[in-house]
């Protein structure tokens, strides 16, 4: 099973700041990595697919990069609605999710 | 609009089974895979498996092999996930999610809370 490790576990930032979230895979997943956002009491929402492609309707402030084992989700300038938990997910070998990064207001 | 509507909350005793339904509307049910993902309270997302509603083919996470069964009824555009031999650790919210190939899980159900308690 491919293990995804996300860091940091919690990220405390202020609106307007830049957020950088990391996801590392235990073996190469090529570019088969997605990012999801989840707010309390809601289902996850697809943000990024295949490492760097924004899903439909996702604002341009969200971007993804990486390939192989190291991936990054960047939010260029945080809006109040961006504070949530973010998960990476690979589809290279079945599917697994990372444990999540909580983005909280500083 | 495209949506997945899941069945209501369940309370089960240890050792019992639970069957959660996921009704699709607004799109062709047989054209997209359905995944099942669960989330224990305060915990992360855990992928359980997938099903192709057209063929009925399935793939399960190793952790759930032998305990989970995913099926469908195409006449009513509904997918099912049955989990057997329930234990307290299976207490979680269970989600179904539509998957678009080479894209991701783009539509999710509202979640079904399953509580396992004696």
């Amino acid at each position: 099973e491919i293990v995804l490790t996300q860091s940091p576990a919690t990220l405390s930032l202020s609106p307007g700041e830049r957020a950088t979230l990391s996801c590392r895979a235990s073996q190469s997943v090529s570019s088969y990595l997605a990012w999801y956002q989840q707010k309390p009491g809601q289902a996850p929402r697809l943000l990024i697919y295949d490492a760097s492609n924004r899903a439909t309707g996702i604002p341009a402030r969200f971007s993804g990069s990486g390939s192989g084992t190291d991936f990054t989700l960047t939010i260029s300038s945080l809006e109040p609605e961006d504070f949530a938990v973010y998960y990476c997910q690979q589809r290279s070998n079945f599917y697994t999710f990372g444990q999540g990064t909580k983005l909280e207001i500083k | 609009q495209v949506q997945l509507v899941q069945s209501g909350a369940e309370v089960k005793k240890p050792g019992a089974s639970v069957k959660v339904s996921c009704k699709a509307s607004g799109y062709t049910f047989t054209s997209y895979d359905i995944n099942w993902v669960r989330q224990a309270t305060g915990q992360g997302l855990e992928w359980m498996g997938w099903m192709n509603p057209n063929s009925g083919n399935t793939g399960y996470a190793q952790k759930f092999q032998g305990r989970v069964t995913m099926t469908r009824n195409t006449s009513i555009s509904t997918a099912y996930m049955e989990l057997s031999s329930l234990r307290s650790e299976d207490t979680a919210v269970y989600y179904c999610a539509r998957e678009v190939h080479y894209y991701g899980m783009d539509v999710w159900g509202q979640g079904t809370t399953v509580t396992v308690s004696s």
Side-chain angles (χ1 to χ4, degrees):
Chain A
E1 176 182 307
I2 296 176
V3 176
L4 298 179
T5 303
Q6 293 187 238
S7 61
T10 303
L11 185 58
S12 300
L13 294 170
S14 300
E17 290 192 295
R18 182 183 186 91
T20 303
L21 288 67
S22 175
C23 176
R24 175 164 290 179
S26 59
Q27 64 190 77
S28 176
V29 299
S30 186
S31 294
Y32 301 135
L33 190 107
W35 290 93
Y36 293 82
Q37 176 194 66
Q38 188 180 33
K39 296 179 180 179
Q42 296 184 17
R45 176 173 73 142
L46 177 65
L47 297 176
I48 301 288
Y49 67 97
D50 287 352
S52 61
N53 300 287
R54 276 189 303 278
T56 302
I58 301 304
R61 63 181 182 273
F62 290 92
S63 64
S65 63
S67 67
T69 60
D70 291 296
F71 300 87
T72 300
L73 174 69
T74 301
I75 311 172
S76 59
S77 179
L78 286 165
E79 297 288 341
E81 62 267 28
D82 297 336
F83 292 91
V85 180
Y86 292 83
Y87 295 94
C88 57
Q89 175 241 324
Q90 65 82 23
R91 63 176 182 86
S92 175
N93 183 0
F94 280 95
Y95 299 149
T96 48
F97 287 92
Q99 83 280 14
T101 290
K102 181 179 181 180
L103 178 56
E104 65 177 24
I105 298 177
K106 187 174 182 180
Chain B
Q1 74 278 25
V2 175
Q3 62 177 349
L4 298 172
V5 178
Q6 298 183 223
S7 48
E10 302 264 11
V11 179
K12 296 292 183 180
K13 293 194 182 302
S17 296
V18 68
K19 191 171 186 178
V20 179
S21 68
C22 171
K23 183 172 177 58
S25 62
Y27 73 97
T28 302
F29 175 63
T30 51
S31 294
Y32 303 91
D33 290 352
I34 293 288
N35 286 264
W36 289 88
V37 176
R38 76 177 187 180
Q39 185 172 38
T41 302
Q43 303 301 307
L45 302 171
E46 183 174 33
W47 179 75
M48 301 179 68
W50 65 269
M51 181 192 65
N52 181 310
N54 185 47
S55 64
N57 288 344
T58 56
Y60 304 138
Q62 190 169 7
K63 175 177 179 177
F64 299 101
Q65 288 273 3
R67 273 211 309 145
V68 71
T69 305
M70 296 177 188
T71 58
R72 87 290 192 212
N73 183 334
T74 57
S75 68
I76 56 171
S77 299
T78 300
Y80 303 92
M81 186 283 299
E82 184 170 21
L83 188 62
S84 62
S85 303
L86 290 169
R87 33 208 188 232
S88 59
E89 310 90 88
D90 294 318
T91 294
V93 175
Y94 289 75
Y95 293 102
C96 60
R98 183 183 86 162
E99 182 184 4
V100 179
H101 285 171
Y102 311 115
Y103 188 63
M105 300 181 203
D106 68 334
V107 179
W108 292 66
Q110 82 277 18
T112 296
T113 299
V114 175
T115 303
V116 183
S117 174
S118 55

